Amino acid sequence: MTDQQTVRLTVAQAVVRFLSLQWSERDGRRQKLFAGCLGIFGHGNVAGLGQALLQSELEHEGREADNPLPYVLSRNEQAMVHTAVAYARQKDRLQTWACTASVGPGSTNMLTGAALATINRIPVLLLPSGTFATRVAAPVLQELEQPSAADVTVNDAFRPLSRFFDRVNRPEQLPAALLGAMRVLTDPAETGACTIALPQDVQAEAFDWPVELFDDRVWRIARPPAEQVDLDDAAALVRAAKRPLVVAGGGVHYSGAEEALRVLCEQTGIPVGETQAGKGSLPHGHPQEMGAIGSTGTTAANALAAEADLVIGVGTRWSDFTTASRTAFQDKGVRFVNINVARFDAGKHGGLSIVADAREALTALGAALEGYAVEPGYRERQAELWAEWDERVEAAYHPSELVTSALAPGLLTQTQVIGAVNELTDARDVVLCAAGSMPGDLHKLWRVRDRKGYHVEYGYSCMGYEVPASIGIRMAEPDRDVFAMVGDGGWLMMPTELVTAVQERLKVVVVLVQNHGFHSIGSLSESLGSQRFGTRYRYRDASSGRLEGEKLPVDLAANARSLGAHVIEVHSADELTQAIKEAKAWPADGGPVVIHVETDPTVYAPDSASWWDVPVSEVSELESTRNAYADYTEHKARQRPLLAPTHSTPGDTAGGGS
């Protein structure tokens, strides 16, 4: 016998109650860990989590603001994970959403979202439904039968995509699964998608739960300090360097380390290049701000990267775009110092690993570098390089009459569109993008004025992220306008979440750029000798049999109207200006606005003078491919392994940086 107090709930009811009582805390500030639950119901979860969420909502009827786990209906399961990811990123990973889906395709639709969350190190809780744990009615509708392994379900596909995975086949397993997921969600070094698979029969099964399972729980987000010996070594490396460079990644934002970075750079004169996730670490106009780095970088940041003898990576995972496929850093003795809360990322490129919170490490490094500053000539070079690049951006934002006169009537350039949105929006407004040519152009060109004003998903570069993510950002910060920049290719992947924005009366602004095809892959295909094959939205030509006929009569403006959005069609620069002003004035509860504008896909943004490694056919009958391969081998020769270890004493790796 036991005198332990219990409460009888179904597994689903226990999940909902538990999630509503979780909190995160950092720097003494506490917030709900889960803002709510996004979902789509089917036979796998409607009587389980669906019933539990209904019961919770009715308990707070008439005082909806007090509902600890509100429910939002999505239209696509992949999209709802994108919404949760964008929300969590905007909240610096301190809050997120749970996502529930039905068995079979409902759950596997979340796989892409899971991969995106884990690759970007963003916390999100996935609750895919499963077929019967008891197997009494097997095979049920949508069940995968694996003759050699009866316990395998489609939800096993989440295992390699999740930072935590568990399947609850009995109620007794639930507490350990929930606590394990919370631990990972709130660990800045381990976070990503956390998946708890819930068979449909188990969701509805009742159990007597210990009451303490439903106590308020506070998960403290740690700020691990740097080891003093590592700081001393890093400071010695900086003092010995002639051309140091900081590469700021997303960890700067998640740590709230922008001020610490600003102080360090102003004190020392060390310039900063930014990854996609790290863009905005310093505001536009700061003397040490060199903008984007790598394959989609500025010529200023990339010139300094090529000359740097010491590179300090802060909160970056060193993707191939950031390193220009390991061609960005060309100094023969270049060394790396990696500040990262995750040891895995801190150990890359043979760098000196400083495993610590970015804010704490930068503050401590600044103290260790008191009295140090780069040579005046190095500051002057930064200013010259940036002024030259900024002039090119201005010319792209406001092209000459020669450029505009060459465009077809009614067409603008993509950079004109970006420039107009950048200049006519408020500093705190958020620009959003994910895939295609637009992220590269935004990375180079967008002038960030607020630490959370730039949101480009480029870890997974997932087409279709933009519309659902705009909803997540707007829910995270209702006082910011969100401008989602999306091409027609990305739009056609996932426009349906506009209906969610309509239903929730969420003002999001989608700038829909119509260029009749895959602009980014088209230009990449051309550069690789594949002649834009299969990238245009065209009829199949009757004589050649190829997709090179007339443009398809697709009316994306009408498509947006049919989903309930307010649509503004634009045919000139003046009309674009008025459209942005109209969107800004749109009521906060007025639902989504779509600005539809056609652009010329053959007019490009200023070049980064950089490279991205995409293999080219080694042999070909096409002259275009042979020429591309010759160019590829030339760039490949500049690629470096970056394997030599970084030592604290100057000269230890003579000629070393690989």
Side-chain angles (χ1 to χ4, degrees):
M1 296 289 292
T2 178
D3 57 0
Q4 183 183 53
Q5 288 186 305
T6 61
V7 56
R8 191 163 182 80
L9 300 168
T10 69
V11 167
Q13 291 162 2
V15 169
V16 169
R17 183 173 295 190
F18 178 90
L19 296 182
S20 70
L21 296 166
Q22 306 307 300
W23 300 77
S24 70
E25 180 183 281
R26 188 172 72 177
D27 300 335
R29 181 175 176 271
R30 186 175 298 183
Q31 50 273 312
K32 283 282 188 183
L33 179 56
F34 294 98
C37 182
L38 297 152
I40 299 176
F41 295 127
H43 69 274
N45 60 348
V46 65
L49 283 168
Q51 187 279 336
L53 288 163
L54 167 65
Q55 185 169 299
S56 177
E57 188 172 291
L58 291 176
E59 288 175 0
H60 298 86
E61 193 170 16
R63 46 191 180 89
E64 289 78 8
D66 296 330
N67 186 358
L69 202 72
Y71 174 75
V72 171
L73 170 62
S74 299
R75 269 69 197 174
N76 178 282
E77 292 88 355
Q78 179 190 141
M80 69 187 180
V81 184
H82 295 336
T83 297
V85 165
Y87 184 99
R89 176 173 167 179
Q90 200 67 18
K91 289 289 190 177
D92 290 333
R93 307 192 298 190
L94 301 174
Q95 283 185 287
T96 187
W97 286 67
C99 298
T100 176
S102 189
V103 298
S107 288
T108 55
N109 278 351
M110 295 196 294
L111 289 169
T112 295
L116 182 146
T118 296
I119 285 171
N120 285 287
R121 282 54 162 179
I122 303 295
V124 61
L125 178 63
L126 307 181
L127 303 172
S129 300
T131 49
F132 285 75
T134 59
R135 307 180 193 168
V136 295
V140 300
L141 179 66
Q142 300 175 318
E143 180 172 358
L144 170 72
E145 291 185 278
Q146 187 70 272
S148 61
D151 63 336
V152 170
T153 79
V154 295
N155 289 341
D156 285 280
F158 284 96
R159 290 181 185 272
L161 306 178
S162 303
R163 295 295 289 173
F164 176 89
F165 177 91
D166 202 353
R167 179 183 288 115
V168 177
N169 285 315
R170 290 189 53 79
E172 293 92 334
Q173 298 169 342
L174 182 65
L178 289 171
L179 293 170
M182 298 310 109
R183 175 189 62 79
V184 174
L185 287 169
T186 56
D187 184 334
E190 293 294 324
T191 197
C194 290
T195 301
I196 301 176
L198 298 170
Q200 62 188 100
D201 52 344
V202 175
Q203 287 185 43
E205 187 175 345
F207 187 74
D208 294 316
W209 307 95
V211 294
E212 57 263 34
L213 178 63
F214 306 111
D215 288 344
D216 280 334
R217 292 177 191 272
V218 180
W219 301 86
R220 186 164 292 123
I221 311 297
R223 286 193 180 276
E227 293 282 348
Q228 189 61 49
V229 64
D230 295 332
L231 287 170
D232 292 343
D233 285 352
L237 286 164
V238 174
R239 290 180 182 278
K242 299 296 183 183
R243 299 172 302 280
L245 171 70
V246 167
V247 174
V252 173
H253 290 311
Y254 302 141
S255 173
E258 297 90 352
E259 177 63 13
L261 178 64
R262 182 192 65 79
V263 170
L264 174 70
C265 293
E266 288 179 359
Q267 167 191 331
T268 63
I270 300 175
V272 175
E274 299 165 322
T275 72
Q276 279 281 15
K279 191 168 171 70
S281 294
L282 290 180
H284 173 74
H286 190 282
Q288 273 66 61
E289 161 64 4
M290 297 293 107
I293 196 166
S295 299
T296 53
T298 70
T299 53
N302 283 338
L304 293 174
E307 302 165 0
D309 54 358
L310 179 69
V311 182
I312 306 166
V314 185
T316 175
R317 63 190 186 93
W318 291 118
S319 78
D320 64 337
F321 262 70
T322 299
T323 67
S325 298
R326 301 196 181 192
T327 63
F329 309 107
Q330 287 294 312
D331 184 87
K332 289 184 178 180
V334 65
R335 301 168 179 218
F336 291 84
V337 172
N338 298 324
I339 297 171
N340 206 296
V341 73
R343 187 172 295 277
F344 175 75
D345 292 317
K348 293 177 179 176
H349 296 170
L352 171 67
S353 298
I354 300 182
V355 182
D357 173 79
R359 191 189 74 179
E360 299 303 297
L362 288 172
T363 300
L365 183 60
L369 289 172
E370 185 176 357
Y372 164 82
V374 300
E375 293 295 328
Y378 192 43
R379 288 183 188 260
E380 292 167 7
R381 177 152 172 75
Q382 295 170 40
E384 291 168 1
L385 288 169
W386 180 254
E388 180 183 328
W389 173 256
D390 211 32
E391 286 180 11
R392 297 180 68 186
V393 174
E394 195 65 24
Y397 276 10
H398 304 284
S400 66
E401 290 186 11
L402 183 64
V403 172
T404 54
S405 63
L407 300 173
L411 294 185
L412 300 173
T413 68
Q414 183 163 281
T415 53
Q416 274 182 286
V417 175
I418 291 172
V421 176
N422 199 176
E423 293 175 347
L424 295 170
T425 52
D426 295 336
R428 294 189 73 256
D429 292 346
V430 182
V431 67
L432 163 67
C433 194
S437 61
M438 194 83 73
D441 290 355
L442 288 167
H443 194 209
K444 288 184 284 190
L445 304 178
W446 191 265
R447 293 162 170 170
V448 182
R449 297 159 287 170
D450 181 271
R451 65 177 293 268
K452 301 300 288 185
Y454 185 87
H455 186 119
V456 172
E457 188 285 301
Y458 218 56
Y460 209 42
S461 185
C462 186
M463 296 180 72
Y465 176 85
E466 296 89 347
V467 174
S470 69
I471 294 171
I473 295 171
R474 183 70 183 189
M475 290 193 301
E477 297 194 279
D479 61 337
R480 292 181 188 257
D481 281 340
V482 185
F483 283 78
M485 312 284 286
V486 60
D488 50 331
W491 168 269
L492 287 169
M493 293 280 180
M494 205 166 291
T496 49
E497 287 310 295
L498 275 185
V499 180
T500 299
V502 171
Q503 185 170 46
E504 297 294 332
R505 302 182 186 276
L506 292 170
K507 175 189 175 183
V508 295
V509 183
V510 180
V511 181
L512 172 52
V513 176
Q514 167 68 285
N515 50 45
H516 302 282
F518 296 120
H519 182 186
S520 173
I521 296 302
S523 59
L524 178 64
S525 171
E526 189 170 46
S527 71
L528 301 179
S530 297
Q531 303 175 11
R532 293 181 177 263
F533 175 74
T535 63
R536 299 183 180 94
Y537 290 173
R538 303 271 182 162
Y539 280 112
R540 191 171 298 281
D541 184 78
S543 58
S544 69
R546 300 181 63 196
L547 299 177
E548 55 184 14
E550 294 296 317
K551 294 175 182 176
L552 301 181
V554 178
D555 190 341
L556 298 184
N559 174 224
R561 285 193 190 93
S562 75
L563 298 174
H566 174 66
V567 178
I568 310 169
E569 296 188 64
V570 167
H571 304 93
S572 69
D574 288 342
E575 288 183 7
L576 178 60
T577 296
Q578 292 306 312
I580 296 168
K581 291 179 178 179
E582 182 179 339
K584 283 293 298 173
W586 192 249
D589 61 353
V593 178
V594 174
I595 299 174
H596 179 278
V597 53
E598 290 213 28
T599 62
D600 187 335
T602 64
V603 180
Y604 302 115
D607 186 63
S608 288
S610 192
W611 184 62
W612 183 38
D613 190 348
V614 179
V616 180
S617 296
E618 198 167 347
V619 296
S620 174
E621 296 177 3
L622 302 177
E623 183 181 0
S624 59
T625 305
R626 292 196 299 270
N627 292 338
Y629 184 72
D631 184 64
Y632 177 74
T633 55
E634 182 180 330
H635 281 95
K636 196 76 174 171
R638 302 180 71 243
Q639 202 168 37
R640 308 178 65 189
L642 301 178
L643 294 175
T646 296
H647 299 283
S648 59
T649 306
D652 280 359
T653 55
S658 306

